[in-house]
Amino acid sequence: MDIPRPVPSAPRHRIGGPPSGSPARAPLAPRIRTGGFVAGLLWSGALLATAKCWVDLPGVASTTDGLAWLGRLTGLLAGYGAAILVALMARVPFLDRTIGSDRLSRWHALGGRGTLALSVAHMVFAMSAHAVRSGLWEGTFGLVLYGPGILEATISLALLLGVGLISARAIRIRMSYEAWHYAHFLTYLAIYLGFAHQLTGPSFGGVGAWAWRGLYIGVAVLLIWNRFAVPVIRSRRHRLRVAGIRRESADVVSVYIAGDDLERLGAEPGQFFRWRFMAKGMWWAANPYSLSAVPNSRHLRITVKAAGSHSRALLSLAPGTRVWAEGPYGALTAARGRSDKILLIAGGVGISPLRALFESMPGRVTLLYLARTVEDLVLRGELDAIAAARGARVHYTMNEDLTVPLTGRSLSRAIPDLPDYDVFVCGPRGMTQKALNALRRAGVPKQQIHLENFDF
């Protein structure tokens, strides 16, 4: 099959100037700080969820009352946190496009640790209060076996502890993405088991109970619609299928996906989809891969390194294989830029989204591409063609040939006016952290650094 190469065939930029044949970047309005606004709403919700608990605080008159009150407070916060954790990962388009998947994932991870700690604290305080009132046996084992919804809540906590354990970085890096991802579905079971217990507390009566049900029902609707219904609807509408594959290196492959009315997907350079290929051994997993070329009405393209069983299977995909896609996701797009001077820093296969931005972003664009060896510089031919076509600069940095080492001094030497640039970074977590440190030392303001980590 003749697979098209999405590389510009004619110069579109003059050297050192704005794009020729395309409009210059228009001044953009100050970006709405959606993250701060949403965070404020979440904290306000936590205060509202615990309002009755705070109202009852003056009535605490003994140690037992104090332990019971702390148990109520931590239990309410844990229940509220569980609902918010699911909402953050419900892939709500507005949140994903304004806050970004990477930032939402960090919030989810931080919130998960907090919710788990609150759940454990709730168990300790509640059991302590019952033990003081009824004795050690009745306050522990008796409570678990005979308390309303307590056995289910105990199983729920055990499941949450298990998910928290595998989320620890030392364990997570030893797991495949697929195993880690599907183990997290136990979280839904844990939340379901714990929900009935939540409504047995003294803070839930009348309006409070219905408000709590409304919170959980609303989150469930968001989850089911965005993560299950929308992918099915889009699959039927766009009829995505593999158009062809091309080996970029021994362990990197580009997959071209064709379909109907692709422009209606609204995909932008820099974004990613979660792809589900209807092939043997692959249909059950939806893995995130970034677009490695500017999307158009004919096809989408991803470029993937074989790092796990799912990504290795892409090497043997057959043309015509049906594809389901969730997305587009991600906020690492041109909309983040505020300057007409752009620096892109890519590490390894993190070049995928930045290659699409390198071709499409207006203004003066420089690309720094870091890899272990020359063979790891995938898409180099396309990058050179884009650089020549638009008069852009591209630097390749390898371990044995440090053209531009990733330090503040070397970056400032290569780009003297670097603090005036918007910088987009994508790659493995260690590389992105090193880039972030170097950019800060070079004087680049934090709000001009746009990150997307390329691991899970």
Side-chain angles (χ1 to χ4, degrees), residues 2-44:
D2 183 21
I3 301 174
R5 286 180 175 266
V7 180
S9 57
R12 300 189 302 171
H13 283 222
R14 296 189 300 273
I15 295 177
S20 59
S22 63
R25 183 189 297 273
L28 296 174
R31 186 182 178 193
I32 298 175
R33 298 192 177 277
T34 310
F37 176 72
V38 172
L41 284 179
L42 297 182
W43 283 111
S44 298

Coordinates of all heavy atoms in Angstrom, one line a residue, residues 2-44:
D2 N 0.5 2.2 -0.8 CA 1.3 3.5 -0.9 C 0.8 4.4 0.3 O -0.3 4.9 0.3 CB 1.0 4.1 -2.2 CG 1.8 5.4 -2.4 OD1 2.8 5.5 -1.6 OD2 1.5 6.3 -3.2
I3 N 1.6 4.5 1.3 CA 1.3 5.3 2.4 C 1.8 6.7 2.3 O 3.0 7.0 2.1 CB 1.9 4.7 3.7 CG1 1.4 3.3 3.9 CG2 1.5 5.5 4.9 CD1 2.0 2.5 5.0
P4 N 0.9 7.7 2.3 CA 1.3 9.1 2.2 C 2.2 9.6 3.3 O 2.0 9.2 4.5 CB 0.0 9.9 2.1 CG -0.9 9.1 2.9 CD -0.5 7.6 2.7
R5 N 3.2 10.4 3.0 CA 4.0 11.0 4.0 C 3.5 12.4 4.2 O 3.6 13.3 3.3 CB 5.5 11.0 3.6 CG 6.1 9.7 3.7 CD 7.6 9.7 3.3 NE 8.3 8.5 3.4 CZ 9.0 8.2 4.5 NH1 9.0 9.0 5.5 NH2 9.6 7.0 4.6
P6 N 3.0 12.8 5.4 CA 2.5 14.1 5.7 C 3.6 15.1 5.9 O 3.8 15.6 7.0 CB 1.6 13.9 6.9 CG 2.3 12.8 7.6 CD 2.9 11.9 6.6
V7 N 4.4 15.4 4.9 CA 5.5 16.4 5.0 C 5.2 17.5 4.0 O 4.9 17.2 2.8 CB 6.8 15.7 4.7 CG1 8.0 16.7 4.8 CG2 7.1 14.5 5.6
P8 N 5.4 18.8 4.3 CA 5.2 19.8 3.4 C 6.1 19.7 2.2 O 7.3 19.4 2.3 CB 5.5 21.1 4.2 CG 6.3 20.6 5.3 CD 5.9 19.2 5.6
S9 N 5.5 20.0 1.0 CA 6.3 19.9 -0.2 C 6.9 21.2 -0.7 O 7.6 21.3 -1.6 CB 5.5 19.2 -1.3 OG 4.3 20.0 -1.5
A10 N 6.4 22.3 -0.1 CA 6.9 23.6 -0.5 C 7.1 24.4 0.7 O 6.4 24.3 1.7 CB 5.8 24.3 -1.4
P11 N 8.1 25.4 0.7 CA 8.3 26.2 1.8 C 7.1 27.0 2.3 O 6.4 27.6 1.4 CB 9.5 27.1 1.4 CG 10.1 26.4 0.2 CD 9.0 25.7 -0.4
R12 N 6.9 27.0 3.5 CA 5.7 27.8 4.1 C 6.2 28.9 5.0 O 5.4 29.8 5.3 CB 4.8 26.9 4.9 CG 4.2 25.7 4.1 CD 3.2 25.0 4.8 NE 3.7 24.5 6.1 CZ 3.0 24.0 7.1 NH1 1.7 24.0 6.9 NH2 3.5 23.6 8.2
H13 N 7.5 28.9 5.4 CA 8.0 30.0 6.2 C 9.2 30.6 5.6 O 10.0 29.9 5.0 CB 8.4 29.4 7.6 CG 7.3 29.1 8.5 ND1 7.3 29.4 9.8 CD2 6.1 28.6 8.2 CE1 6.2 29.1 10.4 NE2 5.4 28.6 9.4
R14 N 9.4 31.9 5.8 CA 10.6 32.5 5.4 C 11.6 32.4 6.5 O 11.2 32.4 7.7 CB 10.4 34.0 5.1 CG 9.5 34.3 3.9 CD 9.5 35.7 3.6 NE 9.0 36.6 4.7 CZ 7.7 36.8 4.9 NH1 6.8 36.3 4.1 NH2 7.4 37.6 5.9
I15 N 12.9 32.2 6.2 CA 13.9 32.1 7.3 C 13.9 33.3 8.2 O 14.0 34.4 7.7 CB 15.3 31.8 6.7 CG1 15.3 30.5 5.9 CG2 16.4 31.8 7.7 CD1 16.6 30.3 5.2
G16 N 13.7 33.0 9.5 CA 13.8 34.1 10.4 C 12.5 35.0 10.5 O 12.5 36.0 11.1
G17 N 11.5 34.6 9.8 CA 10.3 35.4 9.7 C 9.0 34.6 10.0 O 9.1 33.4 10.2
P18 N 7.9 35.3 9.9 CA 6.6 34.6 10.1 C 6.3 33.7 9.0 O 6.9 33.8 7.9 CB 5.6 35.7 10.3 CG 6.2 36.8 9.5 CD 7.7 36.7 9.6
P19 N 5.3 32.9 9.0 CA 4.9 32.0 7.9 C 4.6 32.8 6.7 O 3.9 33.8 6.8 CB 3.7 31.2 8.5 CG 3.8 31.4 10.0 CD 4.4 32.7 10.2
S20 N 5.0 32.3 5.6 CA 4.6 32.9 4.3 C 3.4 32.1 3.8 O 3.5 30.9 3.8 CB 5.8 32.8 3.3 OG 6.2 31.5 3.1
G21 N 2.4 32.8 3.4 CA 1.2 32.1 3.0 C 0.3 31.7 4.1 O -0.8 31.1 3.9
S22 N 0.6 32.1 5.3 CA -0.3 31.8 6.4 C -0.3 33.0 7.4 O 0.7 33.7 7.5 CB 0.1 30.6 7.2 OG 1.3 30.7 7.8
P23 N -1.4 33.4 8.0 CA -1.4 34.6 8.8 C -0.5 34.5 10.1 O -0.3 33.4 10.6 CB -2.9 34.6 9.3 CG -3.4 33.2 9.2 CD -2.6 32.6 8.1
A24 N 0.0 35.6 10.5 CA 0.8 35.7 11.7 C 0.0 35.4 12.9 O -1.2 35.6 12.8 CB 1.5 37.0 11.8
R25 N 0.6 35.0 14.0 CA -0.2 34.7 15.2 C -0.8 35.9 15.7 O -0.2 36.9 15.9 CB 0.8 34.1 16.2 CG 0.0 33.7 17.5 CD 1.0 33.3 18.6 NE 1.8 32.2 18.2 CZ 1.5 30.9 18.4 NH1 0.3 30.7 19.0 NH2 2.2 29.9 18.1
A26 N -2.1 35.9 15.9 CA -2.8 37.0 16.4 C -2.7 37.1 17.9 O -2.5 36.0 18.6 CB -4.3 36.9 16.1
P27 N -2.6 38.3 18.5 CA -2.6 38.4 20.0 C -3.7 37.6 20.6 O -4.8 37.7 20.2 CB -2.7 39.9 20.2 CG -2.3 40.5 18.9 CD -2.7 39.6 17.9
L28 N -3.4 36.9 21.6 CA -4.4 36.1 22.3 C -4.8 36.7 23.6 O -4.0 37.3 24.3 CB -3.9 34.6 22.5 CG -3.6 33.8 21.3 CD1 -2.9 32.5 21.6 CD2 -4.8 33.6 20.4
A29 N -6.0 36.5 24.0 CA -6.5 37.0 25.3 C -5.8 36.2 26.4 O -5.4 35.1 26.2 CB -8.0 36.9 25.4
P30 N -5.7 36.8 27.6 CA -5.1 36.1 28.7 C -5.9 34.8 29.0 O -7.1 34.8 29.0 CB -5.3 37.1 29.9 CG -5.4 38.4 29.3 CD -6.1 38.2 27.9
R31 N -5.1 33.8 29.2 CA -5.7 32.5 29.4 C -6.5 32.4 30.7 O -6.1 32.8 31.7 CB -4.7 31.4 29.4 CG -5.2 30.0 29.4 CD -4.1 29.0 29.5 NE -4.6 27.6 29.6 CZ -3.8 26.6 29.9 NH1 -2.6 26.8 30.2 NH2 -4.3 25.4 29.9
I32 N -7.7 31.9 30.6 CA -8.6 31.7 31.8 C -7.9 30.6 32.6 O -7.6 29.5 32.2 CB -10.0 31.2 31.4 CG1 -10.7 32.3 30.6 CG2 -10.8 31.0 32.6 CD1 -12.0 31.9 30.0
R33 N -7.7 30.9 33.9 CA -7.0 30.0 34.8 C -8.0 28.9 35.2 O -8.5 28.9 36.4 CB -6.4 30.7 35.9 CG -5.3 31.7 35.5 CD -4.5 32.2 36.6 NE -3.4 33.0 36.2 CZ -2.2 32.6 35.7 NH1 -2.0 31.3 35.6 NH2 -1.3 33.5 35.3
T34 N -8.3 28.0 34.3 CA -9.4 27.0 34.6 C -9.0 26.2 35.8 O -9.8 25.8 36.6 CB -9.6 26.2 33.3 OG1 -9.8 27.0 32.2 CG2 -10.8 25.3 33.5
G35 N -7.7 25.8 35.8 CA -7.2 24.9 36.9 C -7.5 25.5 38.3 O -8.0 24.8 39.2
G36 N -7.2 26.8 38.5 CA -7.5 27.4 39.8 C -9.0 27.5 40.1 O -9.4 27.3 41.2
F37 N -9.8 27.8 39.0 CA -11.2 27.9 39.2 C -11.8 26.5 39.6 O -12.6 26.4 40.6 CB -11.9 28.4 37.9 CG -13.4 28.4 38.0 CD1 -14.0 29.3 38.8 CD2 -14.1 27.5 37.3 CE1 -15.4 29.3 38.8 CE2 -15.5 27.5 37.3 CZ -16.1 28.4 38.1
V38 N -11.4 25.4 38.9 CA -11.9 24.1 39.2 C -11.4 23.7 40.6 O -12.2 23.1 41.4 CB -11.4 23.1 38.1 CG1 -11.8 21.7 38.5 CG2 -12.1 23.4 36.8
A39 N -10.1 23.9 40.9 CA -9.7 23.6 42.2 C -10.5 24.3 43.3 O -10.8 23.7 44.4 CB -8.2 23.9 42.4
G40 N -10.8 25.5 43.1 CA -11.6 26.3 44.1 C -13.0 25.6 44.3 O -13.5 25.5 45.4
L41 N -13.6 25.2 43.1 CA -14.9 24.5 43.2 C -14.8 23.2 44.0 O -15.7 22.9 44.8 CB -15.4 24.2 41.8 CG -16.0 25.3 41.0 CD1 -16.4 24.8 39.6 CD2 -17.2 26.0 41.7
L42 N -13.7 22.5 43.8 CA -13.5 21.2 44.5 C -13.4 21.4 46.0 O -14.0 20.7 46.8 CB -12.3 20.4 44.0 CG -12.4 20.0 42.5 CD1 -11.1 19.2 42.1 CD2 -13.6 19.2 42.2
W43 N -12.6 22.4 46.4 CA -12.5 22.7 47.8 C -13.8 23.2 48.4 O -14.1 22.9 49.6 CB -11.4 23.7 48.1 CG -10.0 23.2 47.9 CD1 -9.1 23.4 47.0 CD2 -9.4 22.2 48.8 NE1 -7.9 22.7 47.2 CE2 -8.1 22.0 48.3 CE3 -9.8 21.6 50.0 CZ2 -7.2 21.1 49.0 CZ3 -8.9 20.8 50.7 CH2 -7.6 20.5 50.2
S44 N -14.5 24.0 47.7 CA -15.8 24.5 48.1 C -16.8 23.3 48.3 O -17.6 23.2 49.3 CB -16.4 25.5 47.1 OG -15.6 26.6 47.0

